[in-house]
Amino acid sequence: MHAFVNSQPKSGGAPTGALADAIKAAFGNLDDFKAKFEAAGVGRFGSGWVWLVLDNGKMEIITTPNQDCPLSQHKALILGLDVWEHAYYLKYQNRRPDYIDAFFHVINWEKVNEHFQKNNT
């Protein structure tokens, strides 16, 4: 799994603290965030990435084509997932939604929170 944030087995769960509050404020709740993140990743035509970013302090989900990165748009990276077919094809074939769902079981939310805290000052 290619991800901007360290992923690891026996991770997953849910974010806590300020990160959880920010996700709730921006997306309603964690399940709504996951649904929107998955929809963005599935909707990314062809190769690219799906990202959780901060744009002037506002949390949003975006996608970028190919190797493009939100840093070039002056957005702070919080969480990213590679949705290029090479990232998941051997295990998931053409089932990108299953790959994205599996990603949520290995996210290291502590590391995501570090990125959030670093960029939310």
Side-chain angles (χ1 to χ4, degrees), residues 88-93 95:
Y88 60 87
Y89 191 81
L90 288 178
K91 186 167 184 176
Y92 295 95
Q93 288 75 44
R95 299 183 320 272

Side-chain angles (χ1 to χ4, degrees), residues 2-88:
H2 297 98
F4 169 69
V5 169
N6 293 346
S7 56
Q8 59 192 35
K10 301 196 192 258
S11 289
T16 59
L19 175 62
D21 294 342
I23 288 173
K24 184 177 179 181
F27 304 104
N29 60 48
L30 183 60
D31 289 335
D32 288 345
F33 163 69
K34 287 179 180 181
K36 290 173 183 169
F37 192 90
E38 181 176 335
V42 169
R44 171 82 255 161
F45 180 75
S47 301
W49 289 75
V50 59
W51 304 94
L52 175 63
V53 299
L54 282 175
D55 184 12
N56 292 317
K58 182 180 180 229
M59 192 172 275
E60 58 184 27
I61 296 169
I62 65 168
T63 66
T64 57
N66 305 315
Q67 72 284 348
D68 294 359
C69 177
L71 290 174
S72 64
Q73 301 169 21
H74 307 287
K75 297 176 191 254
L77 308 177
I78 305 302
L79 174 69
L81 178 64
D82 183 351
V83 293
W84 289 48
E85 193 173 74
H86 69 251
Y88 60 87

